[in-house]
Amino acid sequence: MEIIWTRLANITYREVFENLEWRWTKKEMRDFRDLTNKLLEKVKKGQVTHPYANKSLGIRKGIVHKNVSLFYKKDKENNKIYLITFFNNRMDPETLKKLLK
């Protein structure tokens, strides 16, 4: 399956990563990047099935790190996975609801 980064996924990944620069070391940031890439590879190969965050919309939630989740949607018909957003789990859940609409 092909992974498609939506504009929102690109923005929120950058925001999470930039926020980490203030709190983490370079090594921890590389580790986070590697965790993200490993998770995406597993999703792409169908090695993991994450629970639905919103079943009616087909949106699934994967944990990248205890503080960061990835929300994505599979389009089996077109063999694509759309990354919707990365979310800092310490943020207000109402913000997430707005992002997933």
Side-chain angles (χ1 to χ4, degrees):
M1 294 191 103
E2 179 185 3
I3 293 182
I4 307 295
W5 286 70
T6 63
R7 183 172 184 270
L8 180 60
N10 274 308
I11 292 168
T12 55
Y13 180 78
R14 251 185 281 123
E15 285 176 351
V16 168
F17 205 81
E18 288 171 2
N19 186 31
L20 298 178
E21 285 182 308
W22 295 99
R23 296 188 165 101
W24 289 4
T25 65
K26 295 281 185 199
K27 182 190 179 313
E28 289 171 318
M29 290 172 61
R30 280 191 305 271
D31 291 346
F32 175 75
R33 184 192 62 224
D34 292 345
L35 284 171
T36 302
N37 290 335
K38 286 178 186 175
L39 177 65
L40 292 177
E41 202 53 38
K42 286 180 180 181
V43 169
K44 183 178 179 178
K45 292 180 179 178
Q47 294 174 335
V48 293
T49 302
H50 295 106
Y52 283 106
N54 185 322
K55 193 168 185 171
S56 64
L57 296 176
I59 298 172
R60 294 182 178 271
K61 175 185 178 182
I63 305 295
V64 178
H65 177 273
K66 68 180 180 179
N67 296 326
V68 180
S69 297
L70 164 64
F71 293 85
Y72 66 95
K73 185 175 182 172
K74 287 185 177 182
D75 180 355
K76 293 180 183 179
E77 194 174 298
N78 294 308
N79 206 31
K80 295 182 190 289
I81 299 166
Y82 293 92
L83 305 184
I84 299 168
T85 190
F86 287 82
F87 187 74
N88 183 331
N89 298 326
R90 297 171 287 189
M91 290 177 60
D92 182 359
E94 290 301 316
T95 303
L96 177 62
K97 288 180 183 177
K98 292 174 187 174
L99 291 172
L100 295 179
K101 285 187 177 179

Coordinates of all heavy atoms in Angstrom, one line a residue, residues 25 54 87:
T25 N 16.7 15.6 23.5 CA 18.0 15.6 22.9 C 17.9 15.2 21.4 O 16.9 14.7 21.0 CB 19.0 14.6 23.6 OG1 18.5 13.3 23.3 CG2 19.0 14.9 25.1
N54 N -12.5 6.4 15.0 CA -13.8 6.8 14.5 C -14.2 5.8 13.5 O -13.8 5.9 12.3 CB -13.8 8.2 14.0 CG -15.2 8.7 13.6 OD1 -16.0 7.9 13.0 ND2 -15.4 9.9 13.8
F87 N -0.9 13.7 16.7 CA -1.5 14.4 17.8 C -0.7 14.2 19.0 O -0.4 13.0 19.4 CB -2.9 13.9 17.9 CG -3.7 14.7 19.0 CD1 -4.1 16.0 18.7 CD2 -4.0 14.2 20.2 CE1 -4.8 16.7 19.6 CE2 -4.7 14.9 21.1 CZ -5.1 16.2 20.8

